[in-house]
Amino acid sequence: MTEEEKRMASLIVEVLNLEDVDPDAIDPEAVMFDENGLGLDSIDALEIAVAVAEEYGVHLSAEDEETRSVFATLRSLTEFVNAQTATS
């Protein structure tokens, strides 16, 4: 796990109050919205999107078809945010 992924994992754990989840134990390739991954739902996605906007200034739109793939894994979310912040 990269440092950026660790930071994103910590943000997700904090925002969603996942008290029994160790950010370092999150598999960056696990599907976040699957019971084998973090088991998140659409409300969790909204909370993460708000936190990402506040923390990184990157806005994710529910209307954007790319958003679903961005939220697929911790790694895809981190890579998207890194790409967006690199171009701003």
Side-chain angles (χ1 to χ4, degrees):
M1 181 183 296
T2 67
E3 286 302 315
E4 292 89 1
E5 290 168 345
K6 287 181 185 181
R7 184 173 169 208
M8 185 66 70
S10 294
L11 178 67
I12 290 169
V13 167
E14 179 183 329
V15 166
L16 300 179
N17 298 316
L18 302 174
E19 296 166 356
D20 41 339
V21 176
D22 178 3
D24 292 331
I26 297 174
D27 178 356
E29 288 296 320
V31 178
M32 292 198 297
F33 297 88
D34 182 80
E35 64 269 358
N36 295 324
L38 289 177
L40 304 181
D41 61 26
S42 58
I43 301 298
D44 296 326
L46 179 60
E47 291 183 45
I48 293 168
V50 169
V52 165
E54 290 175 358
E55 182 74 20
Y56 298 97
V58 173
H59 298 279
L60 297 154
S61 171
E63 292 80 34
D64 189 344
E65 290 185 27
E66 183 183 20
T67 300
R68 183 178 213 109
S69 63
V70 167
F71 274 102
T73 66
L74 174 65
R75 179 156 292 148
S76 61
L77 178 60
T78 304
E79 288 174 350
F80 177 81
V81 169
N82 286 343
Q84 295 300 307
T85 57
T87 60
S88 12

